[in-house]
Amino acid sequence: MKHYLHTVEEVFADIKSCENGITEAEAQKRLEANGKNKLAEGKKKSIFARFMDQLKDPMIIILIIAAVISAVTEYFEASAAGEAFFPTDTLIILAVVIINAVLGVVQESKAEAAIEALQEMSAATSKVIRDGKLVSVKSEDLVIGDVVLLEAGDAVPADCRIFESASMKIEEAALTGESVPVDKIIKLLNGGEKNEVALGDRKNMAYMGSTVVYGRGQAVVVATGMDTEMGKIADALAKAE
């Protein structure tokens, strides 16, 4: 359903919600059915892959070449002298290379863990009406049908159909490239002969990745996660060769 081409009443009927939002129980059901409201994360590298990445460093490659040259040199010297061959220098160099790679992997893992901890601590929250009450929930736990309160300074947490606007303006440069904030309205739009409206002209919608810069309003969530316009862009980038 193209929610921007329909009235607020039709949108609420389609997503089975209302101006007072949905219940907490219904929100949990929808969350389990549709998943978290966040973009898909790239696959994390395995420990082995990280270790191999450490060995790709130019200085490490030079050390490995030096170890090979040292081994060859020591072999011929030992053969010429009639002595037993034992690559002392080579083993020392390889030990340094391995220790350096292991430390690099450990530090990288610690850094990732620290970033994940910070992200968990600073997880964005949204003001939502559930069970007829205004509550604060993690943005990643939003579901279709949630009614979100938007005020100046808020980041839009999901794709929403606006049904209340008090001089609300939203900056959508991340999606449309248009730096000038867009005045938001409530009424449905006219799609013309093609029954379509360009993304930048959908003035009754608020999209994930945009920011409220003026005024306030309320909107109902109509798409979350990878189903949002931002999610579609992320998916296209991931599939691009």
Side-chain angles (χ1 to χ4, degrees), residues 2-103:
K2 297 177 180 178
H3 301 94
Y4 44 89
L5 299 179
H6 295 270
T7 64
V8 172
E9 291 74 18
E10 290 172 334
V11 172
F12 275 129
D14 179 64
I15 59 177
K16 297 179 175 60
S17 184
C18 65
E19 293 186 7
N20 290 323
I22 56 179
T23 64
E24 186 64 37
E26 179 63 23
Q28 290 301 319
K29 288 181 182 178
R30 297 188 183 190
L31 185 62
E32 292 176 3
N34 302 320
K36 294 280 188 179
N37 173 41
K38 59 181 181 179
L39 302 182
E41 298 178 354
K43 292 183 179 179
K44 292 186 177 180
K45 290 184 178 180
S46 64
I47 297 296
F48 178 75
R50 292 182 185 182
F51 182 81
M52 295 306 295
D53 283 343
Q54 293 291 327
L55 298 181
K56 293 177 183 178
D57 185 274
M59 285 302 299
I60 297 299
I61 294 174
I62 291 173
L63 284 174
I64 293 174
I65 293 172
V68 173
I69 293 173
S70 177
V72 173
T73 302
E74 289 181 339
Y75 173 77
F76 283 111
E77 287 180 350
S79 297
E83 299 175 352
F85 168 62
F86 187 78
T88 305
D89 293 342
T90 301
L91 291 176
I92 292 174
I93 294 173
L94 290 178
V96 170
V97 168
I98 293 172
I99 291 172
N100 179 78
V102 170
L103 289 176

Side-chain angles (χ1 to χ4, degrees), residues 151-153 166-170 181 183 211-216:
E151 297 177 318
S167 303
M168 187 164 64
K169 295 182 179 181
I170 297 181
D183 289 303
T211 305
V212 181
V213 295
Y214 188 82
R216 61 178 297 280

Side-chain angles (χ1 to χ4, degrees), residues 141-153:
D141 291 335
L142 288 180
V143 296
I144 294 174
D146 267 328
V147 170
V148 182
L149 177 64
L150 299 172
E151 297 177 318

